[in-house]
């Protein structure tokens, strides 16, 4: 029983932390976010490091690693708040890898692994997927409707950009009359997407907590650092509890994906529900610690807060995941009204 | 990262399960006296097969178990709903203190009777005016022929009425800085100068006691860890107590959650969306506690010492247990306030969870100052 990362896993974390700190300065991130753009050069470099295929088999040009390594990497992308189609594209390749036909896999996986193609996944309600990340630039869109799904080429879909509060990621509404049906059950892939999203939220929470703690040490009022007041320091302790608990739940869920798939559904819902709540609570609490400056556009915190809030709503709200936990924990299905 | 048990750990678990299948004593009887004797017999049965002092070195009747084995032990006993052992403070705190800081003579004298529950231990730390600020304690120990004469008052003393020995911290040097003038004693409870008075709690039960010391005598050979070193001795015990107990607590929560699910069904509320949300949230939080405890263990195995992060699980557990017992009240309607219900008792008892063994506020201070490096308030 050991929660420690292996040397390779530590190397992934360190490389990602250093690389992103070096390549994505806060001014550049702000510039991208304000313009609603992504950095093509950065994307190519990330792909060159193998990140876009970290979870895909070597047959398809991936690194052949597991959900744990993907979570470690995704946490760092959240920590650095990288504007990029990484999560969307990984979501698409997860679904194609786990539920795609042989033809779909050979058609898309190598291109997604190399970063040459961009993919995304949308959840359909009432005939359309209302909020799909990066659909406007995607080459391939996977639309999931309940337990069935289809692969749609970008040209065959009706894509309508949607403004959201998260300017570090683009969103669109997607509707498609037809596509190629998936061959298998998309649920295992969907669970893995939820875990990756939870990992991104952990990274965001970690960063927002660090910002709050640093500010509480430096900002003085009434002649002492505000972090000396328990009203502030206990807020920060609460951030630590929630960030670490979200991390524990996420790493466990990623581990089940690789080693104990029968526990994945429950673990993924626990991770997503907890990390979504923690992501919001920690970023909003960090804003409170920052006081007025945290509410200004010129401070970076709001980018983190808005990404966390938006992430929380994607791929199942905390409410729907808690509902699934209640069901799997022993209360049984709620019935048709459940959602 | 490997969240599986090693073959040795797996076989430890199997051995324990097989032992429990044969030796589980069944349900605890009602009544203080009967339940205490029942738990004493249970401890003796465990001790006979070297389970009681699991982490203790083999020469003192233990198994020298690893941290993972201790965690498994706590998980399995809680999962089997086994009763707690009678001499719980002696096993968790007294014994480990004597092993870590005691002389050979002290180990010889105390450890065996702790293990067999022949001598019950209690803890004299808190005082009426020294709760969270334990180091401000006022109980005085004054030099006398061959030992110390102790005068003062202690409070929240569990098991004092049955105890032979009290782990007592008292001020031996009133002029030293407050953390330095304290000494750790093992005090004989069996003397006129020690008076025990039951303290009735909001549950109506006298689970704790007050202790009045009027010139009680403690011989020199009952000082543990040397004169003036009591603060350090006491703190290491508290940290070990917190890290070990997390595993038992998290499984107790899981057991309670199972009972709560049954209760929700009995009340016909399994289809209530709000109840389901709250139950789902409790389940998630109980799982994060379990996982945090295991992550904490990984950390202790790396560094050899429980760190300040060890304060997280106890804080988290008290939040969850309070929320769990509140939900149990909410689903019981007009049955809820009945005084003759175990759920109601648990609900009231849970109010102490965020106070006993370190208040949530103190635990947050520890996290803020020692993990996050925020400035001290004082």
């Amino acid at each position: 029983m050991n929660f420690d990362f292996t040397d390779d896993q530590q190397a992934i974390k360190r490389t990602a932390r250093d690389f992103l700190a070096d390549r994505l300065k806060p001014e550049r991130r702000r510039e991208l976010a304000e313009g609603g753009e992504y950095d093509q050069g950065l994307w190519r470099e990330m792909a060159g490091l193998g990140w876009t295929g970290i979870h895909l088999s070597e047959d398809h040009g991936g690194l052949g690693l597991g959900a744990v390594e993907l979570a470690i990497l995704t946490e760092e992308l959240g920590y650095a708040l990288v504007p990029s189609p990484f999560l969307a594209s990984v979501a698409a390749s997860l679904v194609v890898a786990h539920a795609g036909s042989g033809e779909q896999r050979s058609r898309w996986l190598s291109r997604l692994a190399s970063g040459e193609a961009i993919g995304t996944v949308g959840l359909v309600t009432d005939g359309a997927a209302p909020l799909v990340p990066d659909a406007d630039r995607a080459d391939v869109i996977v639309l999931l409707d309940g337990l069935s799904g289809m692969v749609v080429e970008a040209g065959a879909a009706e894509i309508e950009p949607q403004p959201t509060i998260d300017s570090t990621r683009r969103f669109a509404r997607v509707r498609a009359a037809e596509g190629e049906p998936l061959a298998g059950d998309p649920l295992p892939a969907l669970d893995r997407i939820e875990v990756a999203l939870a990992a991104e939220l952990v990274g965001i929470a970690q960063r927002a907590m660090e910002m709050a703690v640093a500010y509480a040490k430096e900002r003085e009022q009434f002649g002492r650092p505000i972090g000396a007041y328990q009203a502030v320091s206990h807020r920060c302790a609460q951030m630590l509890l929630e960030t670490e608990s979200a991390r524990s739940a996420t790493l466990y869920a990623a581990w089940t994906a690789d080693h104990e798939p029968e526990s994945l559904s429950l673990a993924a819902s626990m991770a997503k529900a907890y990390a979504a709540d923690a992501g919001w609570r920690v970023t909003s609490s960090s804003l409170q610690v920052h006081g007025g400056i945290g509410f200004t556009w010129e401070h970076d915190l709001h980018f983190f807060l808005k990404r966390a809030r938006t992430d929380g709503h994607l791929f199942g709200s905390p409410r729907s995941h808690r509902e699934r936990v209640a069901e799997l924990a022993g209360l049984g299905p709620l019935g048709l009204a459940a959602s | 990262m490997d969240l599986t048990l090693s073959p040795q750990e797996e076989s430890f678990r199997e051995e324990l399960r097989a032992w429990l299948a044969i030796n589980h004593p069944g349900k605890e009887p009602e009544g203080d006296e009967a339940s205490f004797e029942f738990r004493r017999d249970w401890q003796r049965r465990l001790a006979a097969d070297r389970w009681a002092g699991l982490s203790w070195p083999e020469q003192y009747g233990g198994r020298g178990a690893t941290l993972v084995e201790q965690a498994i032990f706590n998980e399995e006993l809680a999962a089997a709903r086994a009763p707690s052992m009678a001499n719980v403070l002696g096993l968790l705190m007294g014994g480990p203190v004597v092993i870590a800081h005691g002389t050979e003579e002290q180990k010889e004298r105390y450890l065996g009777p702790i293990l067999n529950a022949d001598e019950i231990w209690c803890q004299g730390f808190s005082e009426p005016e020294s709760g969270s600020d334990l180091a401000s304690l006022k109980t005085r120990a004054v030099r006398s022929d061959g030992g110390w004469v102790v005068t003062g008052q202690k409070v929240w003393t569990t098991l004092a009425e049955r105890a032979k020995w009290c782990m007592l911290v008292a001020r031996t040097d009133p002029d030293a800085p407050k953390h330095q003038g304290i000494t750790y004693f093992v005090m004989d409870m069996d003397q006129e100068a020690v008076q025990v008075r039951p303290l009735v709690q909001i549950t109506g039960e006298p689970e704790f006691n007050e202790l009045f010391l009027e010139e009680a005598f403690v011989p020199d050979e009952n000082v543990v860890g040397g004169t003036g070193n009591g603060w350090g001795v006491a703190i290491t015990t508290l940290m070990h107590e917190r890290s070990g107990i997390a595993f038992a607590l998290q499984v107790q929560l899981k057991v309670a959650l199972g009972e709560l699910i049954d209760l929700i069904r009995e009340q016909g509320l399994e289809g209530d969306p709000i109840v389901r949300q709250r139950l789902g949230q409790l389940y998630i939080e109980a799982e994060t506690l379990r996982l945090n405890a295991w992550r904490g263990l990984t950390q202790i195995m790396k560094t050899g010492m429980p760190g300040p992060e060890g304060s997280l699980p106890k804080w988290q557990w008290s939040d969850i247990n309070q929320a769990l017992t509140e939900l149990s009240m909410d689903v019981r309607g007009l049955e809820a306030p009945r005084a003759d219900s175990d759920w109601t008792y648990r609900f009231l008892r849970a109010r102490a969870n965020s106070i006993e063994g370190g208040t949530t506020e103190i635990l947050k201070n520890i996290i803020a100052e020692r993990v996050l490096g925020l400035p001290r308030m004082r």
Side-chain angles (χ1 to χ4, degrees), chain A residues 1-4 9 217 228 230 234 238 240 244-245 248 251 255 319 322-323 326 329-332 334, chain B residues 1-4 261 265 271 276-277 281 287 292 294-295 298 302 315-316 361 365 367 372-373 377:
Chain A
M1 196 77 182
N2 184 359
F3 256 100
D4 243 3
Q9 289 167 341
K217 287 178 187 174
Q230 286 171 320
H234 286 190
Q238 184 77 35
L240 181 84
E244 290 299 344
S245 298
S248 296
L251 288 174
W255 183 84
R319 182 179 58 81
R322 271 193 296 275
E323 169 52 39
L331 282 181
L334 180 56
Chain B
M1 232 175 99
D2 178 9
L3 306 188
T4 53
I261 289 170
R265 289 185 177 283
R276 293 172 70 86
Q277 285 290 309
Q281 182 64 23
E287 271 293 281
N292 286 344
W294 279 108
R295 268 182 74 206
T298 297
K302 252 171 64 175
W315 160 20
Q316 199 180 6
E361 286 71 18
N365 284 350
I367 301 288
L372 297 176
M377 174 197 60

Side-chain angles (χ1 to χ4, degrees), chain B residues 135-138 140-141 148 170-183 227-231:
Chain B
S136 71
L137 60 89
K138 292 188 181 63
R140 260 181 321 114
W148 299 82
R171 192 161 297 287
T172 42
D173 183 355
D175 301 323
K178 75 174 182 178
H179 292 87
Q180 286 169 26
I182 296 172
T183 299
T227 310
N229 299 328
W231 182 254

Side-chain angles (χ1 to χ4, degrees), chain A residues 1-6 9-10 68 209 213 216-217 224-225 227-230 232-234 236-238 240-241 244-249 251-252 255 259 266 269-270 273-274 277 281 318-323 325-327 329-334, chain B residues 1-6 9 68 261 264-265 269-273 275-281 283-285 287-292 294-295 298-299 301-302 312-313 315-316 319 360-365 367-368 371-378:
Chain A
M1 196 77 182
N2 184 359
F3 256 100
D4 243 3
F5 293 156
T6 62
Q9 289 167 341
Q10 263 159 13
V68 172
M209 171 177 73
V213 170
K217 287 178 187 174
R224 55 167 79 165
Y229 299 108
Q230 286 171 320
V232 174
S233 69
H234 286 190
C236 295
Q238 184 77 35
L240 181 84
L241 172 71
E244 290 299 344
S245 298
R247 184 174 283 124
S248 296
L251 288 174
Y252 167 68
W255 183 84
H259 301 282
L266 177 58
S269 276
M270 293 195 299
Y274 194 97
D277 287 343
R281 281 207 292 259
R319 182 179 58 81
S320 67
H321 284 293
R322 271 193 296 275
E323 169 52 39
V325 171
E327 175 181 339
L331 282 181
L334 180 56
Chain B
M1 232 175 99
D2 178 9
L3 306 188
T4 53
L5 296 177
S6 71
E9 290 158 358
V68 174
I261 289 170
I264 290 169
R265 289 185 177 283
L269 289 170
E270 68 270 26
D272 183 304
V275 169
R276 293 172 70 86
Q277 285 290 309
R278 289 174 65 185
L279 190 278
Q281 182 64 23
Y283 189 89
I284 293 167
E285 289 183 24
E287 271 293 281
T288 62
L289 171 63
R290 175 177 75 87
L291 296 162
N292 286 344
W294 279 108
R295 268 182 74 206
T298 297
Q299 209 49 38
M301 289 192 291
K302 252 171 64 175
L312 281 176
W315 160 20
Q316 199 180 6
D319 279 0
T360 294
E361 286 71 18
I362 287 294
L363 299 176
K364 286 181 180 178
N365 284 350
I367 301 288
V371 181
L372 297 176
L374 287 166
R376 290 170 72 89
M377 174 197 60
R378 315 175 273 292

Side-chain angles (χ1 to χ4, degrees), chain A residues 85-99:
Chain A
F86 179 84
L87 195 77
S89 217
V90 160
S93 58
L94 277 168
V95 178
V96 173
H98 283 271

Side-chain angles (χ1 to χ4, degrees), chain A residues 4 6 21 31 58 60 96 145 176 182 187 218 223 237 242 251-252 254 275 306 318 333 339:
Chain A
D4 243 3
T6 62
E31 188 187 5
E58 290 165 79
H60 294 110
V96 173
D145 192 352
L182 289 169
L187 190 64
E218 141 209 323
E242 295 183 11
L251 288 174
Y252 167 68
K306 291 165 177 172
S339 68

